[in-house]
Amino acid sequence: MEREIDMKEVSDGRLYGPRDMVKADCGGCAGCSQCCESMGSTIILDPYDVWRLTAGLQVSFEALLQDKLELNLVEGIILPNMKTSGENERCGFLNGEGRCSIHALRPGFCRIFPLGRFYENHSFQYFLQVHECPREPKLKVKVQKWIDTPDLKQYEAFVTDWHYFLNKAEELVKQSQIFFHIFLVPKMVLC
């Protein structure tokens, strides 16, 4: 899922690699869970996120769809996302103290937050979203430590492949919709 944004408005103007230091560490989010509220259906899961959750929690994907995840249409493709509920649209995995009950299993979008990904030339770099996390002060941390994922290089290759696969799938969906409206709808009206 791509967003059309002005990087100058949302970032600190830098792009980061795994070995770079970035001011993203908010001290363990003590007393804060703001990033896990009012997020709607924006925390979209990739296949690795789903595998990590189902294997780590030892539950089926279908069981997670009962109350923790949901399916939504994104750019013509049905994808799973974290489900929110209640007045503050809280993530279903927040415990009573506002802490993440699946922190070790959290999805990729949650792992990198408040970082984002900037895709270019079949690769990506990270950027710091400067307005997303209100917690201050933020301390410098190495990007790969912040993301906390085993075999980060392999994971980043998967994320890149998944991103560009979805782009291609979205393009094919759009083409099929155009084909449907140009060639099939007029014939259906005539019949």
Side-chain angles (χ1 to χ4, degrees):
M1 176 179 188
E2 292 185 22
R3 298 184 300 167
E4 294 293 325
I5 56 175
D6 183 349
M7 290 292 284
K8 293 175 192 161
E9 292 180 16
V10 301
S11 78
D12 63 357
R14 294 192 55 212
L15 294 175
Y16 299 92
R19 296 177 189 260
D20 292 329
M21 299 293 286
V22 62
K23 272 192 158 185
D25 190 344
C26 50
C29 304
C32 181
S33 59
Q34 191 169 340
C35 63
C36 302
E37 298 176 2
S38 302
M39 57 196 192
S41 59
T42 63
I43 309 301
I44 299 169
L45 307 179
D46 62 37
Y48 185 66
D49 294 331
V50 172
W51 175 82
R52 193 183 327 228
L53 286 170
T54 56
L57 297 172
Q58 298 181 348
V59 297
S60 68
F61 179 64
E62 293 79 10
L64 289 173
L65 284 172
Q66 297 301 312
D67 63 345
K68 302 295 186 198
L69 306 179
E70 62 186 358
L71 298 174
N72 276 298
L73 193 61
V74 180
E75 307 289 337
I77 301 169
I78 298 170
L79 294 171
N81 61 268
M82 302 296 270
K83 186 175 184 177
T84 60
S85 61
E87 184 180 321
N88 292 337
E89 291 186 46
R90 292 170 51 98
C91 173
F93 288 106
L94 281 179
N95 66 21
E97 292 80 44
R99 305 301 289 167
C100 180
S101 65
I102 58 159
H103 194 264
L105 309 172
R106 68 198 183 283
F109 281 143
C110 301
R111 260 171 210 288
I112 68 172
F113 187 84
L115 302 177
R117 296 182 188 119
F118 180 78
Y119 292 89
E120 187 174 56
N121 301 324
H122 204 77
S123 185
F124 71 87
Q125 289 181 289
Y126 301 97
F127 68 94
L128 178 62
Q129 301 178 82
V130 294
H131 305 296
E132 296 298 318
C133 177
R135 187 92 172 150
E136 293 292 343
K138 291 189 184 60
L139 305 172
K140 282 193 171 190
V141 63
K142 194 175 274 197
V143 170
Q144 67 186 21
K145 181 178 182 192
W146 183 249
I147 297 171
D148 185 31
T149 295
D151 200 352
L152 184 58
K153 190 172 185 168
Q154 183 179 0
Y155 174 69
E156 288 179 331
F158 164 75
V159 167
T160 300
D161 289 346
W162 179 247
H163 172 81
Y164 286 101
F165 167 79
L166 285 179
N167 281 355
K168 186 66 175 169
E170 291 166 10
E171 183 181 311
L172 291 171
V173 167
K174 287 177 188 172
Q175 288 174 2
S176 68
Q177 290 171 342
I178 291 169
F179 176 84
F180 179 79
H181 288 292
I182 291 174
F183 295 106
L184 298 181
V185 170
K187 291 179 183 176
M188 292 169 62
V189 173
L190 294 174
C191 294

